[in-house]
Amino acid sequence: MALTEVRSPAQLGLTTSIPYDDAFLVQLRMMACQGVEYFSEGKHLEGIDRSSGVIQFHDLRRNPVAVLNDPFHVLHIRIPLRALSAVADDMHSLPIDELQLSPSQSVRDTVLRSLFLALRPVLNKPEEVSTLFISHVTLALTAHIAHKYGGIRDRSKAPRGGLAAWQERKAREFLDASIDGDISLSRLAVECGLSARHFARAFQQSLGVPPYRYLLKRRVERAKDLLERSSLSLLDIALACGFADQSHFTRVFRASIGTTPGAWRRMRFGGK
């Protein structure tokens, strides 16, 4: 999967063809663009909604191109067919080859729009976004598309409870070992013998938060311990706890604790 933001203050004219790919390009329009025309397999697509906030699906097997005669701003995410079919397989459903949408159909989908916007910080400050968070959002996005537009039905018989005691212990161990680094949702799921979708659901049921929030909480707890028990600088503590830099550390710590790391350390030492 690949996320791209495309913005142009002026008209671009005819776009170049995208090479054939077994994937869909899902587009969230960030601003109205009345001067855009779309073509698929050489045919002009009629009835396009060109307003802000709409979502359009482009089949990259059908040579989609556009003519841009106005300023343009969109978010694109490329979703391989194999990613959608993996969701279907996980639910014991048939593979997905097509979406239940016409080439010219645009949709207003508040869930999909929110998931798009949740990923936008990946483009602005990728160093501050964990792999676990990206995995969590892209899993939700892919599952939503597969359900709503791929027509799958969940026929799986997976247990609906939380993690078994050994799975929870192993997940905690792996997350605690990743305080200063990164780990993917799929890696955690494999270690627990589950699919990523079932692991994410079971983890949240057992611990009350998704894995990426658990990891963030553990990083803050580790930072508090270092602030109180060591003389390390704030930057060194930030890096030791997996934060991108001191500024990132300060923002996350303040959001979690209500004050800055420096102020918290001073309070613990009686204002000294």
Side-chain angles (χ1 to χ4, degrees):
M1 298 176 70
L3 178 69
T4 310
E5 184 167 8
V6 183
R7 185 201 305 260
S8 174
Q11 65 182 45
L12 295 177
L14 179 66
T15 63
T16 57
S17 294
I18 301 174
Y20 181 98
D21 194 2
D22 285 325
F24 288 95
L25 192 67
V26 187
Q27 170 188 295
L28 169 63
R29 196 184 308 284
M30 301 294 287
M31 63 180 288
C33 182
Q34 296 304 319
V36 60
E37 302 294 338
Y38 288 103
F39 297 82
S40 178
E41 297 180 313
K43 299 177 182 178
H44 182 253
L45 301 182
E46 304 287 349
I48 298 293
D49 185 345
R50 298 172 175 83
S51 56
S52 176
V54 300
I55 293 168
Q56 191 170 352
F57 296 80
H58 303 284
D59 189 336
L60 297 184
R61 298 169 297 179
R62 297 193 167 103
N63 189 30
V65 295
V67 178
L68 306 173
N69 295 319
D70 274 338
F72 197 69
H73 186 192
V74 297
L75 289 178
H76 281 157
I77 189 162
R78 173 192 166 275
I79 302 180
L81 273 170
R82 65 178 181 273
L84 296 173
S85 290
V87 176
D89 182 65
D90 194 33
M91 297 180 181
H92 297 196
S93 188
L94 295 174
I96 295 173
D97 187 58
E98 301 286 351
L99 297 182
Q100 298 175 348
L101 294 163
S102 68
S104 62
Q105 187 173 349
S106 300
V107 298
R108 288 191 178 273
D109 185 325
T110 55
V111 172
L112 197 50
R113 180 178 182 275
S114 296
L115 292 169
F116 254 107
L117 296 179
L119 285 171
R120 200 176 183 192
V122 176
L123 299 173
N124 298 327
K125 293 187 176 181
E127 70 281 359
E128 295 186 5
V129 184
S130 72
T131 299
L132 270 180
F133 176 77
I134 296 170
S135 301
H136 182 83
V137 178
T138 54
L139 180 67
L141 186 147
T142 307
H144 179 76
I145 291 173
H147 273 286
K148 189 164 184 177
Y149 306 109
I152 67 171
R153 298 292 180 267
D154 192 350
R155 298 186 178 92
S156 63
K157 302 298 182 183
R160 310 308 291 180
L163 296 172
W166 73 268
Q167 292 171 323
E168 181 177 334
R169 182 176 64 255
K170 186 173 282 284
R172 285 177 181 268
E173 288 172 355
F174 268 84
L175 286 166
D176 287 346
S178 301
I179 290 291
D180 61 347
D182 219 343
I183 189 170
S184 69
L185 189 64
S186 59
R187 172 69 187 283
L188 288 170
V190 166
E191 292 297 331
C192 293
L194 299 171
S195 70
R197 183 177 70 94
H198 290 145
F199 172 79
R201 177 196 54 73
F203 186 98
Q204 182 151 351
Q205 184 163 339
S206 291
L207 285 89
V209 292
Y212 76 89
R213 286 201 176 276
Y214 175 89
L215 182 58
L216 197 60
K217 179 181 177 183
R218 293 291 294 124
R219 284 175 170 166
V220 171
E221 290 172 352
R222 174 63 175 152
K224 288 167 65 177
D225 183 64
L226 291 175
L227 286 167
E228 189 171 17
R229 299 176 183 274
S230 78
S231 58
L232 290 172
S233 69
L234 295 183
L235 176 59
D236 286 341
I237 291 174
L239 299 179
C241 295
F243 296 100
D245 51 33
Q246 186 174 330
S247 175
H248 181 212
F249 172 40
T250 298
R251 290 198 304 277
V252 173
F253 194 94
R254 188 201 296 270
S256 177
I257 305 301
T259 188
T260 65
W264 189 89
R265 173 181 259 176
R266 289 191 294 272
M267 285 190 293
R268 300 301 291 179
F269 287 95
K272 296 180 181 180

